[in-house]
């Protein structure tokens, strides 16, 4: 038993070598990946992760983390566990070369977002968003959607649709239903992020004052 100068510790009757308590699995916040759209019509680009207990808070954390310093017109948040990743290849190669090609008769076409999805999709098929990494050190960028019944099939479908794009160092496939997206009706939430020059030292024009001070204080 542990003997302490604190009687409260003695009353606990703790053993000398108390075993460490077992740590519960996944006892930390889930990881989410954020994608940022810099301007209207631009593709969504991966900007980094956040940790949060649920998707809505992940979106708020991502907004605070990744949209304060630069202009932003849209934000996507995806659970890290929902991303299916291909192997990484060299900067002059294509990750699609590591995937089998679907038969021509089964090759899908890009999703037409103007058509009602429920009527257009075969039973069991869903939208998947596809992201390309053009070069190591860059960021994954959204290139479009495909329709598939599983993440593995989505990657194969992406090869049939986007496989001619080169180089592609890595590919991500995300089920569109797992993406938490900013809504067009909520664009006013980005209104405060259009101008942040005050954060940059270059925005403060003080060189003339420095020169004046030096002229008035030559010995300083």
């Amino acid at each position: 038993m542990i003997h302490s100068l604190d009687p409260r510790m003695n009353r606990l009757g703790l053993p000398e070598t108390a075993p460490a308590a077992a740590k519960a699995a996944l006892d930390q916040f889930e990881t989410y990946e954020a994608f940022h759209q810099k301007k209207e019509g631009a593709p969504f680009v991966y900007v980094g992760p956040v940790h949060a207990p649920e998707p809505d808070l992940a979106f708020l954390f991502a907004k605070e983390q990744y949209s304060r310093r630069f202009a932003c017109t849209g934000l996507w948040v995806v659970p890290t566990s929902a991303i299916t990743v291909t192997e990484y290849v060299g900067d002059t190669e294509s990750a699609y070369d590591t995937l089998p090609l679907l038969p021509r008769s089964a090759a899908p076409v890009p999703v037409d977002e103007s058509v009602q999805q429920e009527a257009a999709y075969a039973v069991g098929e869903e939208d998947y968003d596809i992201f390309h990494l053009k070069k190591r050190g860059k960021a994954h960028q959204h290139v479009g959607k495909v329709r598939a019944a599983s993440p593995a099939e989505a990657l194969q479908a992406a090869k049939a649709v986007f496989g001619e794009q080169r180089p592609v160092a890595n590919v991500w496939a995300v089920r569109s239903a797992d993406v938490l997206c900013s809504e067009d009706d909520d664009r006013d939430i980005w209104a405060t992020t259009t101008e942040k020059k005050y954060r940059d030292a270059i925005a403060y024009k003080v060189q003339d004052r420095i020169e004046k001070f030096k002229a008035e204080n030559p010995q300083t």
Side-chain angles (χ1 to χ4, degrees), residues 48-71:
V50 294
H51 294 264
E54 50 94 21
D56 287 336
L57 279 178
F59 184 91
L60 291 177
F61 293 161
K63 178 182 179 298
E64 290 302 307
Q65 181 71 20
Y66 301 115
S67 73
R68 293 183 301 134
R69 296 187 177 182
F70 306 102

Side-chain angles (χ1 to χ4, degrees), residues 127-146:
D127 277 355
Y128 283 81
D129 287 284
I130 304 300
F131 300 84
H132 284 180
L133 177 67
K134 290 292 186 182
K135 184 179 180 180
R136 290 173 183 261
K138 300 293 185 181
H140 284 77
Q141 179 173 297
H142 186 251
V143 294
K145 293 176 181 284
V146 296

Side-chain angles (χ1 to χ4, degrees), residues 42-220:
F44 280 80
V45 177
Y46 176 67
V47 287
V50 294
H51 294 264
E54 50 94 21
D56 287 336
L57 279 178
F59 184 91
L60 291 177
F61 293 161
K63 178 182 179 298
E64 290 302 307
Q65 181 71 20
Y66 301 115
S67 73
R68 293 183 301 134
R69 296 187 177 182
F70 306 102
C72 179
T73 60
L75 189 68
W76 290 355
V77 172
V78 182
T80 304
S81 58
I83 300 177
T84 301
V85 184
T86 66
E87 296 181 10
Y88 280 84
V89 298
D91 290 342
T92 61
E93 302 174 278
S94 174
Y96 286 119
D97 291 341
T98 66
L99 302 174
L101 182 63
L102 290 175
R104 183 175 297 275
S105 59
V109 296
V111 174
D112 182 357
E113 297 181 1
S114 65
V115 179
Q116 290 293 332
Q117 295 181 357
E118 297 298 330
Y121 299 163
V123 175
E125 292 189 339
E126 298 179 276
D127 277 355
Y128 283 81
D129 287 284
I130 304 300
F131 300 84
H132 284 180
L133 177 67
K134 290 292 186 182
K135 184 179 180 180
R136 290 173 183 261
K138 300 293 185 181
H140 284 77
Q141 179 173 297
H142 186 251
V143 294
K145 293 176 181 284
V146 296
R147 192 181 307 153
S150 69
E153 290 185 14
L155 288 174
Q156 293 179 332
K159 178 177 182 177
V161 178
F162 309 113
E164 294 183 359
Q165 299 183 21
R166 289 176 177 269
V168 181
N170 186 249
V171 182
W172 288 356
V174 182
R175 193 171 67 110
S176 298
D178 292 325
V179 181
L180 180 59
C181 307
S182 56
E183 300 291 341
D184 289 342
D185 294 340
D186 296 329
R187 289 190 178 279
D188 56 337
I189 67 175
W190 315 115
T192 59
T193 63
T194 56
E195 183 61 67
K196 294 294 183 181
K197 288 185 177 180
Y198 67 86
R199 294 181 180 273
D200 301 324
I202 195 173
Y204 294 87
K205 308 300 182 183
V206 297
Q207 188 60 37
D208 55 338
R209 298 183 184 181
I210 294 176
E211 296 299 334
K212 181 180 179 181
F213 178 83
K214 288 182 178 179
E216 293 176 351
N217 301 271
Q219 302 302 322
T220 302

